[in-house]
Amino acid sequence: MAPRERLTETPAKPAPTRRDPYFDNVKYLTIVLVACGHAWEPLTHGSRAATAAYLTVYAFHMPAFALISGYFSRSFDMAPGRVRRLLTTVVVPYLVFETAYTLFYRWAQDDPGYPLSLLDPWYVMWFLVALFIWRLTTPIWLALRHPVPVAMGLAVLAAVSPELGGDISIQRVLGFLPFFVLGLTLRAEHFERLRTWRVRLLALPVGAAALITAYAVAPWFGAGWFYHRGSVTGQGVSNWAGLFTTPVLFVVALVLTACFLSWVPGRHLWFTGLGAGTMYGYLLHGFVIKSSRFWDWYDHPWLHTPLGQLAVTAAAVGLITALCSGPVRSVFRFVVEPRMEWLFSRRGETTTPAARPDRP
């Protein structure tokens, strides 16, 4: 009789999480829009067409970021593994890059006294602060019966409160909060409904109408409405206007985000793998964008011609694509996704793998 096989007590390793090509495509295309928007900003001075493109992109690209971040934060429950990932992929990169950007500014502007303030994020770093706060509060939003209206109420409060202040970019944290909370409530089937041909065909005239409207209002409408850097009084209106403009801008952004998401391909393409590296592109491209401002790269008149604007767009796409690539990720992984096992205790760990961090 054959001897009985000894049962092993070693638990089976969980199967690796399979990445959805659709969401990797969403992340890559969204970071491309971010890079293009930053590259287009100097072109808006004197070009109505560039301004229209800039306004259209800014109306929805950061809301799309926040919504997708919320969708991938649904499982965040303060478990040790997830908190560890939050610290290593959001807090540590924030500390490193906020310091690096400050030192870069001191060097580029010959201003050694420029202050380092971790409570006043510089340029693109505000999103990491917002992501940290949003994810920490995720269990609260998931516990509420109607989280989106509550988040909208906080966004309206920020819009009508000039005295709220700018510490930790609180205006932006609250201004984009409804999109993150909405993402928490979404399921895979909601995105599937967007990807039908009926919705895609409807998205075409909606997108065209957005561009035409942006072109019509370009001479007088300020993009500051989409930044949420402060209350609406900064746009030259009374603070009570925020009671109406905040919900309206939310609806506009949501419609344009839906149009964008409907046309994102769901299959593997040449750029699909780059979707896993969008945080790298986001954190690093700011150095190039700010260099273009510090050293007046846009002073060349040819860049403000139609061909020059196309060249700027192509350069922005090429830059962000390179920064999301594997070689760049290998070089900067130690600061963007550090492991740091030496810092954390193993107590309270479970066999459930930690949720993958959000990517802009």
Side-chain angles (χ1 to χ4, degrees):
M1 183 176 180
R4 181 184 303 174
E5 293 184 1
R6 180 174 299 174
L7 296 178
T8 177
E9 296 181 358
T10 303
K13 292 183 179 180
T17 304
R18 182 180 179 183
R19 299 187 68 94
D20 187 333
Y22 172 74
F23 288 107
D24 275 339
N25 292 339
V26 168
K27 293 173 184 178
Y28 170 74
L29 293 175
T30 306
I31 198 66
V32 165
L33 292 178
V34 170
C36 288
H38 288 158
W40 289 341
E41 193 275 332
L43 302 178
T44 62
H45 308 293
S47 172
R48 191 167 180 175
T51 302
Y54 181 83
L55 289 175
T56 303
V57 166
Y58 264 80
F60 76 91
H61 80 300
M62 287 313 299
F65 254 43
L67 185 143
I68 295 299
S69 296
Y71 178 75
F72 281 101
S73 297
R74 295 169 300 156
S75 61
F76 188 81
D77 57 2
M78 299 297 287
R82 292 186 172 97
V83 172
R84 185 180 305 121
R85 289 287 286 175
L86 180 64
L87 293 176
T88 57
T89 60
V90 177
V91 175
V92 171
Y94 174 76
L95 296 175
V96 171
F97 280 89
E98 180 66 22
T99 302
Y101 272 115
T102 301
L103 296 177
F104 175 67
Y105 182 92
R106 290 178 179 180
W107 170 73
Q109 296 295 92
D110 193 19
D111 184 5
Y114 187 78
L116 168 64
S117 175
L118 298 179
L119 296 180
D120 185 17
W122 195 71
Y123 196 39
V124 298
M125 300 310 298
W126 72 269
F127 185 76
L128 269 70
V129 174
L131 185 57
F132 177 71
I133 295 174
W134 293 341
R135 296 207 80 185
L136 277 184
T137 58
T138 290
I140 297 176
W141 299 113
L142 294 178
L144 296 179
R145 185 183 296 271
H146 302 292
V148 177
V150 175
M152 179 60 67
L154 291 175
V156 170
L157 179 64
V160 302
S161 303
E163 67 282 358
L164 192 58
D167 287 346
I168 63 170
S169 293
I170 190 62
Q171 297 277 10
R172 279 181 160 179
V173 171
L174 297 179
F176 289 102
L177 176 63
F179 300 100
F180 177 84
V181 175
L182 177 61
L184 291 174
T185 69
L186 296 179
R187 298 295 179 266
E189 55 266 26
H190 294 120
F191 293 94
E192 290 293 336
R193 293 172 188 171
L194 288 177
R195 295 162 60 191
T196 64
W197 277 108
R198 186 174 185 179
V199 175
R200 288 175 175 176
L201 293 177
L202 182 61
L204 294 177
V206 173
L211 276 171
I212 294 171
T213 302
Y215 188 85
V217 304
W220 55 268
F221 185 83
W225 284 102
F226 303 130
Y227 299 158
H228 297 290
R229 287 177 180 165
S231 71
V232 295
T233 56
Q235 305 306 316
V237 298
S238 300
N239 60 349
W240 60 264
L243 297 173
F244 307 98
T245 58
T246 304
V248 168
L249 292 176
F250 174 80
V251 172
V252 170
L254 193 58
V255 170
L256 293 179
T257 296
C259 293
F260 166 71
L261 294 175
S262 71
W263 276 100
V264 173
R267 63 187 184 279
H268 278 277
L269 298 171
W270 65 267
F271 57 78
T272 300
L274 300 173
T278 51
M279 181 66 83
Y280 294 80
Y282 183 81
L283 293 173
L284 293 169
H285 87 287
F287 291 101
V288 180
I289 296 298
K290 281 300 182 182
S291 295
S292 72
R293 312 303 201 257
F294 293 157
W295 290 296
D296 303 320
W297 296 356
Y298 286 85
D299 282 356
H300 299 281
W302 180 79
L303 292 178
H304 298 268
T305 66
L307 283 178
Q309 292 169 358
L310 290 176
V312 169
T313 303
V317 174
L319 170 67
I320 205 68
T321 299
L323 293 180
C324 293
S325 65
V328 172
R329 290 160 59 189
S330 297
V331 172
F332 290 97
R333 182 170 285 115
F334 75 103
V335 291
V336 179
E337 295 182 286
R339 299 184 63 87
M340 302 182 69
E341 286 94 343
W342 55 269
L343 183 62
F344 300 104
S345 166
R346 310 294 292 185
R347 294 190 302 270
E349 283 199 7
T350 64
T351 57
T352 304
R356 188 179 297 115
D358 298 300
R359 296 293 186 215

